[in-house]
Amino acid sequence: MDSNKAEEVEFTGIAASPGIAHGPVSLLREKKISVPKYKVSSDRLESETERFESALLATRMQIQAIRDEVQASLGEDEARIFDAHLLVLEDQALIGETIREMESSVENVESCVWRVGNRYIEAFGQIDDEYLRERASDLRDVLRRLISNLTGQSLENADRLSDKHVVVAHDIAPSDSAMIDKNHLLGLATDAGGKTSHTVIVARSMNIPAVVGLGNVSEQIKPDDIVLVDGFEGRVVVNPSDATLYRYGKIKDEHASITKRLIALSQNVSQTKDGHPIQLMANIESEHEAKRAIDIGADGIGLFRTEYLFLNSKVLPTEDQQYEAYKNTVETMNGLPVVIRTFDLGGDKISNIPELGMIGESNPFLGYRAIRYCLDNAEFFTTQLRAILRASAHGDIRIMYPMISGAAELEQANEYLEIAKDQLRGEGIPFNENLSAGSMIEIPSAATACDTLVAGSSFFSIGSNDLIQYLIAVDRLNDRVAHLYEPTHPAVIRTLAQVVKAGREGDREVSICGEMAGDPVLVPMLIGLGIESLSIAPGLLPNVKFVVQSMTLKEAKDLAEMALSDSDSTTIYGNLLVFYEERMASLY
Ligand code: PEP
Ligand code: MG
């Protein structure tokens, strides 16, 4: 063994995306910047002012260079964000006030500009105008850069990976994850987060191993550490020993050979041993994932999370851009259905586009999110509806509304859809007049009063990620309560059964598109409860299909009955696991 090797340390968290990754670490965090504060004699005030001027100039040159780079790689629209930063550096009020502050306090320039700048930030932050609030964050960015130039502290972050790395962070917001260069991303490990956080969902859809809820791993890791992420068991090993690497190498090989066999089997039709067809659809976040869904044998797209079209962008996609994305998707799917969910912004998916006016809320998951946001922003919503309708002329597109809480909201959403249809008719633009519009059932009120949604919905799709969070009152992102986030909680299982019953009575198909649907241990129970269509991350599809193919409907119904009559979620999960492991044993 190499005696120079750093000591191996293991962390346990929540297995969030399967797979094993191994490589150098890239720490993603906002660097703390310290602001020195000291008195200067009045005869040094002139040299302090000169330092200030050179720092303003250096900062200006750096921002201009970033602007040029962004313009070359992303275009003028994105580059324009930096114009606001450049303006801050020319702001005579800020510059003048900093100099006066130095004269009156006889303190160093860092301390004075920081104080003055923060007074502005605070004032902007309180103004009830989104544009001005945005200026506060511009000012904050510029101030940090100015301080770094005055003090020589580096602001470098690890968000641009030049080589393959495992990204370790305290937490990663969906917009941050969108900024990471996926070609160089081996795996993810975060202190915070739950299994159904949107960053994890994206990792899963890209087949990137991920472990979340690791406590304070980001504080314990050093930049030159080597990290192993075990997304099967929820472990992170820092500086793994040769023995650990050997053991994981074997696990990886074993999984690779099983995956190969599962992929081969996934080309067979999706039906139970006794011939009941089960529709297996794919969840996607971008048009580019549709091809993968086809390759893996999906029966269609059951959930297109459209908000990812612009979550990492600074500009809104136009109607034409959206139309192209939806049209390309449905054309790639070549006759198979594509369920397009309207924008589900808010919650943890906060867009930085100023026009959207999204601001932090104290309870974002209970706040201004998804359909609530869309119904309140008519033009934004209508633009998307028009784009979806136009794309429906090119294939089997269906529309789905997220976060419907009751019939009145659904009615309003459908009214907007009718308005968009009227507009297109008036303009002579073709669309599918019989386009189906369905509701996501992910709020307990919608589940309980599901029968009241039958009239306005052509189908129901259960969003179990949110349904569980709202039903058990457990934040899906919070690792401290992650143990309470139980898909086999009796309340969850009974609620699923209730939605299936309402769907049957109203003659509406009930499918499921939350992460539960991609957990092969839970799938037999879901099918036994009467759900015949599941939408899952493409990478999970082969395993789910294998489980479907290796059980009978009767076995599934027995498992559902067991789950409905037991009061203990751990026992229910345990029974389902025994069944699953028995089926999987035939693969080894
Ligand atoms: C869900 O809530 O289950 C769902 C599919 O939507 P999202 O995860 O995007 O909130
Ligand atoms: Mg949801």
Side-chain angles (χ1 to χ4, degrees):
M1 215 175 88
D2 183 352
S3 57
N4 291 328
K5 233 177 170 176
E7 201 190 335
E8 170 178 309
V9 190
E10 186 174 308
F11 296 84
T12 307
I14 302 166
S17 177
I20 289 166
H22 169 230
V25 74
S26 168
L27 274 170
L28 187 71
R29 64 179 159 217
E30 187 181 273
K31 277 250 179 119
K32 283 202 179 77
I33 193 149
S34 56
V35 183
K37 179 178 168 178
Y38 50 89
K39 290 280 179 197
V40 289
S41 55
S42 39
D43 57 349
R44 267 194 53 197
L45 283 178
E46 200 175 322
S47 66
E48 281 298 285
T49 309
E50 279 166 14
R51 264 197 334 119
F52 185 33
E53 279 163 1
S54 359
L56 284 168
L57 187 66
T59 307
R60 192 176 170 78
M61 283 162 63
Q62 285 163 1
I63 295 175
Q64 187 61 51
I66 296 173
R67 193 196 188 286
D68 293 346
E69 197 185 315
V70 170
Q71 192 202 29
S73 57
L74 297 171
E76 176 60 22
D77 281 347
E78 273 80 2
R80 243 180 251 131
I81 309 154
F82 296 97
D83 290 344
H85 291 212
L86 291 170
L87 281 178
V88 169
L89 292 166
E90 287 171 4
D91 188 315
Q92 288 310 312
L94 177 80
I95 295 171
E97 214 174 302
T98 301
I99 292 172
R100 282 194 294 281
E101 183 85 13
M102 281 198 288
E103 286 163 357
S104 62
S105 67
V106 278
E107 276 178 16
N108 60 319
V109 60
E110 293 90 336
S111 154
C112 293
V113 72
W114 187 252
R115 205 157 48 236
V116 171
N118 276 292
R119 280 206 292 266
Y120 276 79
I121 290 173
E122 211 169 294
F124 280 148
Q126 283 167 2
I127 296 173
D128 193 16
D129 176 301
E130 185 49 33
Y131 178 78
L132 289 176
R133 267 202 304 273
E134 268 294 310
R135 301 291 69 74
S137 72
D138 291 338
L139 182 51
R140 189 172 170 281
D141 270 11
V142 173
L143 264 187
R144 282 171 53 79
R145 194 166 283 282
L146 256 178
I147 299 291
S148 97
N149 281 321
L150 282 162
T151 60
Q153 294 170 78
S154 153
L155 282 179
E156 276 309 300
N157 211 330
D159 54 355
R160 291 177 185 208
L161 305 179
S162 53
D163 231 329
K164 293 205 183 286
H165 280 82
V166 171
V167 167
V168 178
H170 173 68
D171 199 2
I172 306 177
S175 53
D176 290 338
S177 70
M179 296 289 288
I180 298 174
D181 178 356
K182 311 301 183 301
N183 296 321
H184 293 124
L185 178 62
L186 291 170
L188 278 180
T190 63
D191 298 343
K195 236 178 160 155
T196 61
S197 74
H198 284 102
T199 298
V200 164
I201 289 173
V202 172
R204 212 173 290 137
S205 74
M206 296 186 328
N207 273 351
I208 302 281
V211 179
V212 299
L214 285 155
N216 63 351
V217 72
S218 72
E219 283 165 28
Q220 310 231 11
I221 270 178
K222 293 185 294 307
D224 52 355
D225 280 338
I226 298 291
V227 178
L228 186 145
V229 174
D230 172 2
F232 295 114
E233 298 292 332
R235 286 199 196 98
V236 165
V237 187
V238 181
N239 299 320
S241 67
D242 293 344
T244 303
L245 286 176
Y246 178 72
R247 184 161 54 85
Y248 273 102
K250 286 184 74 167
I251 296 174
K252 207 171 165 179
D253 287 350
E254 211 166 273
H255 276 284
S257 105
I258 291 171
T259 305
K260 218 164 138 191
R261 293 178 64 191
L262 286 172
I263 289 176
L265 287 169
S266 75
Q267 296 309 321
N268 300 336
V269 288
S270 170
Q271 60 177 25
T272 61
K273 233 157 79 179
D274 49 343
H276 288 274
I278 300 295
Q279 195 178 35
L280 294 184
M281 315 272 274
N283 291 350
I284 60 169
E285 276 87 44
S286 88
E287 61 186 287
H288 311 292
E289 289 170 71
K291 166 86 174 58
R292 177 138 176 264
I294 284 277
D295 291 346
I296 210 89
D299 297 316
I301 302 297
L303 169 65
F304 184 163
R305 289 184 165 96
T306 55
E307 56 282 358
Y308 281 89
L309 284 178
F310 61 94
L311 215 52
N312 63 337
S313 148
K314 295 279 177 191
V315 284
L316 275 178
T318 62
E319 179 183 315
D320 282 348
Q321 286 166 335
Q322 291 187 52
Y323 160 70
E324 287 296 329
Y326 307 148
K327 176 166 109 36
N328 292 343
T329 306
V330 78
E331 285 181 348
T332 305
M333 294 313 288
N334 198 17
L336 296 173
V338 175
V339 180
I340 300 188
R341 176 176 75 180
T342 57
F343 296 134
D344 179 8
L345 286 168
D348 60 338
K349 290 179 285 193
I350 299 293
S351 163
N352 294 323
I353 300 176
E355 300 101 282
L356 291 179
M358 307 214 81
I359 51 168
E361 296 181 323
S362 49
N363 279 310
F365 276 116
L366 301 183
Y368 198 48
R369 184 184 162 190
I371 200 71
R372 301 164 182 191
Y373 181 88
C374 286
L375 294 179
D376 202 29
N377 289 276
E379 198 184 319
F380 172 72
F381 193 31
T382 312
T383 302
Q384 183 178 34
L385 295 175
R386 284 174 56 103
I388 299 173
L389 282 165
R390 284 171 56 194
S392 74
H394 302 274
D396 184 357
I397 280 187
R398 303 164 193 183
I399 193 167
M400 178 159 85
Y401 306 123
M403 293 276 292
I404 291 290
S405 66
E409 229 174 11
L410 175 59
E411 206 173 298
Q412 258 183 296
N414 278 328
E415 275 166 19
Y416 273 108
L417 186 61
E418 288 310 314
I419 293 170
K421 285 183 184 173
D422 279 346
Q423 288 178 359
L424 294 180
R425 277 188 208 106
E427 293 163 32
I429 298 176
F431 62 91
N432 174 11
E433 288 279 354
N434 300 315
L435 174 107
S436 301
S439 301
M440 281 194 76
I441 306 298
E442 51 184 345
I443 299 185
S445 59
T448 310
C450 201
D451 56 314
T452 65
L453 303 178
V454 164
S457 316
S458 308
F459 60 90
F460 296 132
S461 183
I462 300 171
S464 54
N465 302 338
D466 280 312
L467 187 59
I468 297 170
Q469 111 163 317
Y470 297 129
L471 210 46
I472 315 182
V474 49
D475 182 341
R476 63 194 265 193
L477 305 180
N478 188 338
D479 53 304
R480 290 200 284 183
V481 290
H483 60 288
L484 297 172
Y485 191 96
E486 291 178 308
T488 51
H489 190 296
V492 174
I493 298 167
R494 286 168 205 191
T495 305
L496 296 181
Q498 192 182 358
V499 175
V500 170
K501 182 167 178 281
R504 285 215 174 118
E505 286 173 2
D507 196 20
R508 297 290 183 267
E509 183 194 84
V510 176
S511 58
I512 179 165
C513 60
E515 298 305 296
M516 251 183 118
D519 183 340
V521 177
L522 304 175
V523 164
M525 175 188 76
L526 297 174
I527 293 171
L529 285 169
I531 300 173
E532 290 172 348
S533 174
L534 304 125
S535 193
I536 59 195
L540 305 176
L541 199 137
N543 199 351
V544 168
K545 198 181 251 189
F546 175 77
V547 171
V548 169
Q549 288 163 342
S550 55
M551 67 178 199
T552 64
L553 195 59
K554 166 86 171 61
E555 284 169 330
K557 283 186 175 163
D558 288 348
L559 286 171
E561 209 169 290
M562 172 282 297
L564 279 168
S565 56
D566 207 299
S567 58
D568 179 52
S569 56
T570 312
T571 313
I572 299 171
Y573 190 82
N575 289 336
L576 295 173
L577 189 61
V578 168
F579 180 84
Y580 168 72
E581 284 180 344
E582 233 176 67
R583 303 296 131 150
M584 289 303 282
S586 67
L587 269 182
Y588 289 84

